[in-house]
Structures are given as C-alpha cells and as structure tokens.
Amino acid sequence: MFLPKKIFQFVKILQTTTVEMTPVVDSTKDIHEPVVLDEIDRRLLEVLKSDGRISNAALAEAAGIAPSTAHVRLRSLQDRGVVTGFLTSIDQRSLGLGLQAIVGVTLRPGARQESIVRFSEEVRNLPQVLQVFFLGGTDDFIVHIAVADSSAIREFVVEHLSAQPSVASTRTSVVFDYHRNGVAASFQ
Amino acid sequence: MFLPKKIFQFVKILQTTTVEMTPVVDSTKDIHEPVVLDEIDRRLLEVLKSDGRISNAALAEAAGIAPSTAHVRLRSLQDRGVVTGFLTSIDQRSLGLGLQAIVGVTLRPGARQESIVRFSEEVRNLPQVLQVFFLGGTDDFIVHIAVADSSAIREFVVEHLSAQPSVASTRTSVVFDYHRNGVAASFQ
DNA sequence: GGTGAAAACCACTTACT
DNA sequence: AGTAAGTGGTTTTCACC
C-alpha cells in the first residue's frame, strides 16, 4: 500500500457515504411526500379550479394577498405537484362530437399482463377518448368517449375494444347528461 | 343553473326504459345553431385544450396568426360557446383525497320525478363529487368521487346514495388508475 | 376577417422587511 | 414568508386594410 492507513480509511468513508446517499435521492422520486396546504393555498386553488386563466393580479385580490405573493404561491403549487396543469373546457358538439358514451370493459382472466398494458395505452390515446378509469370491481376499466353519432359508438367499440383478444365483454351506456365539479389530475 | 327541464326529460326516458335519444335534444326551445370552426379555430382549441393558461402571444404564434387576431378568435370561441371555461387540474392527494371511486347508481322504477331531480342536484353538488354521468343503460347514473380513504367511500355511498328512497342499488369500484385526454363541457 | 400601433395593463424580478 | 416598486413584456383596443 502506498497510501497511509488513515487516508485509506478516509477514502473508504467517502465511498460509503456516496453509496448511501444515492438511493436516498432516487427514492424521493417515487415516494410522495405529503403536501401541506395552508388556508391561502386552498383559497388560491378554489379560485383556480374553475378559472384557470384568471390573471395573477385578480387571483391575488381574490385570495387577499399581494400579487407578487400570489405569483410565488402559484409557482410553488405547481412545483409541489398540486397544480398539474391548466385545461380548457370545450363543448364537444362544436367539434361535431354530439354524442358521449361510457363503455365498461371486462378483460379475460387469462389475458397476459403485457397485452393488457399495451392495449390500455392504445385505448387512452384514441382521439374519441376523453377519460379512462382503471377499476377494481365488475368492470376492469371504463372509457368515456365523445363521438359524432350512434354508429360511431358502435364503430369505436367493435374496432378498438371488442376486437382485442384481452377483452371479454363491453357494456355501453349513452351519456344523457353530464356534470363536472372539478378536474382531477391524471394519475402519474 | 340546474336546468330541471333536461333532467325531467332524462327521467322520462328512464321510466319508459326506452333508449331513445331524440327527445333529449330540445327541438322546441333553444335550437343549437351549428358552430362552424375553421382550421385556425381548431388549431387554437388543440393548443388550449392542454394549456389553458398559455399567453395570447404564444397562442397566436402556435396558430400562425397575429396576437390581436388570436385574441379576437378566442373571445369568439367563448361567445359561441365552444370554449366554456378554463380549469385547473389539481392533484387530489394534495387535498387529502387520496382515493377515488366510481359509484354506479340504479334508481327504483317507481321513484317520483321530483324526488329524482332534487336528489340528483344534491348529489352533483356534494364536495366529494368530481363528475356525474346520467346514463341510459344498466346504471341510471354514475358518480366519480374523490375521498380520503375507504371508509369515506362507504360513508358517501351510505349517507348520500343508499339512504335515498329513489335509489334501488349502488355499485362501487375503486379507481386504480386514471387518465384524461381532454375536458368536455358540462351539458348546458 | 385580419393586422399594426398605441395605451393600458400585467408578470416577474429584485431589494427589503 | 411577505411586500413594494420597477421594468420589460403583454393584453387589448382601435383605426385601417
């Protein structure tokens, strides 16, 4: 050994330290640390929930704080993952999609996990699809779609759902009325 | 605005258990005049759909038009009812609502219309409720809720759904995963 | 309907408490 | 963590094409 014993030990400590720190940093990505929201945060969210395009000045006034504070607060909410995006509510009829439906899908028990994953990813990226809920219960997932007419519903179900080997059955219900109170973030 | 008229029509359809969609479209009162969207409108909507807080300047550039034009266009889309609002997507866990569920509700055939109307209006304004779909099919409507834990699901179902005399049965499914492509406007 | 220019307005940073 | 002030940029109007 060319290094004195003391230095060798020191290096060892450094190596140990490095090895210990790395997993801690990595795991923080997955572990959801609890977000603490105070009264002002909640007031900001309450306003933003239904008016995502409000100006910072108006938002500040609604929450009773200075505009600069509101600005910092909102960015903090985004950084902490509380606010995950700003969306525009669009009347589907205007897009020529005057009919909405809920399709419940039951998968075959024997379906391979990989094919289910690939299938669900395909489904949720189809243009007709507004939302997909993956469930534990009777249905394995339900799909909320907007289409032009009833034949387009049938077309969607036959082409993209029933045709899949993983799918055991589907159950379609026409949406007669729809009401939304808030927008939940997609699961990460 | 809760538009009792529409609900009444919906209830009527349910009671006759005939899946007819024609009566739902109100042909007597406000006929929905067709909205014509050109290519620029569609480009604006495509951008706004997933970024409701984009600056007017950036929106204009994305659509290849002048900021002043984009401004007029967007206001026109709002005036014509194509864009019905700007919303903020909020992570429900941050609000202490770490569990989501879908509850399918079947109504008793003999339930009186008035009680059903009052009931549905109550349900859709509950704080736990994210969305309500009124359906023609097995379930009469389904409710998407976000709550703190599984006991809160049970509490919600028992207190606000099962307790109602109009309700014949409920079917609850826990949401394991959720994906949203766009936000549809609540039916008017 | 689309645009450029001007005025009003706002976002965002900095310095300070 | 909150605020006030400043500046650089943006929204919004309007006359004109």
Side-chain angles (χ1 to χ4, degrees), chain A residues 90-91 93-94, chain B residues 32 35 76-84 185:
Chain A
I90 297 173
D91 179 73
R93 281 175 311 183
S94 308
Chain B
H32 187 246
V35 174
S76 165
L77 287 171
Q78 293 181 262
D79 291 344
R80 287 186 285 166
V82 180
V83 166
T84 65

Side-chain angles (χ1 to χ4, degrees), chain A residues 75-94:
Chain A
R75 195 164 50 190
S76 164
L77 286 170
Q78 293 183 261
D79 291 343
R80 288 185 285 167
V82 180
V83 166
T84 65
F86 302 96
L87 307 159
T88 300
S89 167
I90 297 173
D91 179 73
Q92 299 298 125
R93 281 175 311 183
S94 308

